[in-house]
Amino acid sequence: MTPELNGKEPVVRFDGTAKEGEEIDMTAKELSSAPTPLAYSEPEQLVQDFASRGLVVLAPESLGIPASVHERIYQREKQAVGSGERVTPELIPDVLEVINSPGVVAACNQLVGENWAIVPFTHNATFTSGGRDQHWHKDDNGPFNGRKQRHHQAVQIEMLYYPQAVREDMGPTATVPYSHYWTFNHEENHDNFAGADHLDFAYQLSGMEGQLVSGPDSQYDPSDIVHRRTAHDVRMREAVTNLKWPLVQPFEAAPLRAGSVVLYSHNTFHRGNHRRDDWRTWEDNPRFMWRFWIYRTTDPSGDNSSPAEMQWNGLGVDPLTHIDRSAASDDVTSVWRYHHHWMQTGQTPPPRPEATALSSADREAEANRLFAHLLAKGEEAEPARIGAAYKLASIGDSALAVRLLGQALYNDRESVRRAATYGLIAVGAEATNTLLEAANSPIKWVRKAGVYGLGDASPLNDEVLQAVATRLREDPSVYVRAVAAGTLGCLGRRAIATGVGRTLISACLEALVQSLGREENRLAMDRAQGRSIKFVRPTDECDVCEGGGVDFGLERFKPVRSAVRENALWAMVILCSHGTAIAGPALKPTARALREIIRSDENAICVGFAMDALGRLAHLRPEGETARDLQAEVSALLEESPMCCWESLVRSGLRPT
């Protein structure tokens, strides 16, 4: 847009989008007002902000790498896009410098622990903003639309990297901070079957997502595009405000300086956003974004002293989103309190101070009141249900909390079971017996909740291991088996941090290896059903979304998926991050299974996970002759492979040569 002075009032001509000769009047104030600088996150506030807001933004200078790196990435990506090359870290290896930059590593260490991993082969597309709006959704750490359990704990986060500056009119990523603890049903809600939970699935059904909002073929008035008055803009705003969830408002991450990094919970609602500037500049001035899905391999050790109680209502206005946090009720702050404490200690926080003063009779009455809130109906009541569960968990009587939360776990309504599951996890180890009982329930959805809860709350002992391994081996539900596979990684991760159950980690690996020998890849659901991944449905063979097929145009791979195999390998990456010694007698069969997958599996996602697991086993904590042999094997296997997941492998010290 080029301002032209016409008498007293400046006039802006929006060439290329407006009809010939049409002009848009803007006031001098609108033209002269500079965008408000974005409040980048401070390291000392990172955990607090992430536990509450679910989103932090790293300034380019905090990464600790030269600014020239970002310019090189941007120019090389422009060149690649212009010539039709597939954009990957191997093509633009400077991106690997960003992933392993001191600032990114330090921030992610705070949020998800040391030696964090990256899901392979999931970012390899050029995320370029343009003329369309994506619908509001949550991503999933099950790659390419595979349904994976949503951890409230900081286990899975997303990293967005912008190699160029992002103005407010360049289609900045739209997010919904403070939304990461609330969601919708998906188990029997087909709108949310395929991995991503949607705010307004009717937007997709109506065809609005396919319509251009801006650009040469847009049907909207240019002034309405600039001033966010289009039907698409209204639809996007109302999808969020109609939720009536506390503190929840749309937020566009801009303006950003070149090299900025956004980190947010994988449970955060977000969407791709349309550009509002002159479409004729888009080709020469593209807005690129790289996305990486990050997950935890190391639990908080509990070595830190217990953090001081936060006065959450005293935080005032959020400097990033300008939302007044003092409006948050204890339904919200009780959830923040748990996760702020857990991220620093790996432990359940002590009972809430206000609960410790209650008499036995008052505590019983308060517990019954909270139980009634667990049963509240409607999507608007999601924060009330979840908040009640966390408040029960911290009421100062674990037995009372477990009894009521355990009762809610068997409720017919998924929304109640979901809240109860998170509440039992927040109780911690004292909920183990209730979760074990649930893991053996004749009701599939209760079994899934029980097996998942064991992974996020319980110690690794013989009884827990047997229950999870049995579900992995025998459960008729693919969904339950997939959750059980992931749970073995979470149990082992906690055992390493606490020292409780370390000797059973080899048995966890053995169960995972045996599972890989049984489970088979299937033609991806979008291919098998001949429809968009967003519209696939469960089948007699599989009751969980196994994602979209991808072969990367290579003969070696096929568009096949397996939720169980992918979750088993996700868990193996976690366990292999802790070295050869921790694997014990399972080391050789584990390495053998990983080698076989790397050489012959037709599922590229499985191959990527296996590469990462074996690379970590060889390089992260090398010990003796075995590690040296594995290192040589890894090098040979990577040279043989037609494609390598360098965004994952770089985290164990490997680099493309």
Side-chain angles (χ1 to χ4, degrees), residues 425-499:
I425 290 169
V427 170
E430 292 93 335
T432 297
N433 288 338
T434 295
L435 294 169
L436 281 168
E437 183 179 344
N440 291 291
S441 168
I443 304 168
K444 174 178 69 174
W445 300 125
V446 176
R447 292 199 306 276
K448 187 207 78 172
V451 172
Y452 162 59
L454 290 170
D456 276 15
S458 301
L460 178 56
N461 57 37
D462 288 323
E463 189 177 11
V464 169
L465 175 62
Q466 182 61 33
V468 178
T470 298
R471 294 276 65 83
L472 177 60
R473 183 177 61 250
E474 300 177 3
D475 206 282
S477 163
V478 176
Y479 200 168
V480 175
R481 297 201 304 275
V483 171
T487 283
L488 288 174
C490 296
L491 285 167
R493 196 184 65 218
R494 187 177 311 104
I496 293 165
T498 63

Side-chain angles (χ1 to χ4, degrees), residues 391-640:
K391 284 188 284 187
L392 267 173
S394 57
I395 201 169
D397 186 335
S398 295
L400 174 62
V402 169
R403 175 170 61 81
L404 294 175
L405 291 165
Q407 182 179 336
L409 193 63
Y410 290 82
N411 192 281
D412 284 342
R413 288 167 46 208
E414 180 187 345
S415 60
V416 178
R417 293 195 306 271
R418 178 170 60 249
T421 302
Y422 289 125
L424 288 166
I425 290 169
V427 170
E430 292 93 335
T432 297
N433 288 338
T434 295
L435 294 169
L436 281 168
E437 183 179 344
N440 291 291
S441 168
I443 304 168
K444 174 178 69 174
W445 300 125
V446 176
R447 292 199 306 276
K448 187 207 78 172
V451 172
Y452 162 59
L454 290 170
D456 276 15
S458 301
L460 178 56
N461 57 37
D462 288 323
E463 189 177 11
V464 169
L465 175 62
Q466 182 61 33
V468 178
T470 298
R471 294 276 65 83
L472 177 60
R473 183 177 61 250
E474 300 177 3
D475 206 282
S477 163
V478 176
Y479 200 168
V480 175
R481 297 201 304 275
V483 171
T487 283
L488 288 174
C490 296
L491 285 167
R493 196 184 65 218
R494 187 177 311 104
I496 293 165
T498 63
V500 177
R502 287 172 65 97
T503 58
L504 295 176
I505 290 173
S506 62
C508 292
L509 282 167
E510 288 169 3
L512 292 165
V513 170
Q514 290 167 10
S515 172
L516 291 171
R518 289 189 304 270
E519 300 287 345
E520 296 181 353
N521 292 310
R522 275 177 286 272
L523 183 62
M525 281 186 161
D526 60 335
R527 304 293 186 94
Q529 298 182 22
R531 59 176 76 183
S532 162
I533 188 64
K534 296 172 183 175
F535 298 105
V536 296
R537 298 293 181 255
T539 66
D540 289 344
E541 283 188 313
C542 185
D543 59 341
V544 64
C545 184
E546 291 191 299
V550 58
D551 58 17
F552 297 108
L554 297 172
E555 187 176 342
R556 158 69 196 281
F557 301 120
K558 300 292 185 291
V560 295
R561 301 295 297 276
S562 167
V564 185
R565 290 175 67 80
E566 291 168 17
N567 275 274
L569 288 160
W570 179 88
M572 291 174 80
V573 172
I574 293 171
L575 300 180
C576 289
S577 298
H578 298 276
T580 54
I582 203 74
L587 176 60
K588 288 185 177 179
T590 296
R592 186 165 54 247
L594 295 173
R595 283 195 298 267
E596 178 61 24
I597 289 170
I598 295 169
R599 287 196 173 107
S600 63
D601 203 295
E602 294 179 330
N603 181 339
I605 307 304
C606 287
V607 171
F609 276 128
M611 284 179 174
D612 195 16
L614 194 62
R616 285 167 174 261
L617 202 56
H619 288 277
L620 271 186
R621 290 181 169 86
E623 295 183 38
E625 193 78 21
T626 301
R628 284 192 291 274
D629 290 344
L630 283 173
Q631 288 169 5
E633 274 193 281
V634 168
S635 295
L637 287 167
L638 296 182
E639 286 188 18
E640 292 173 15

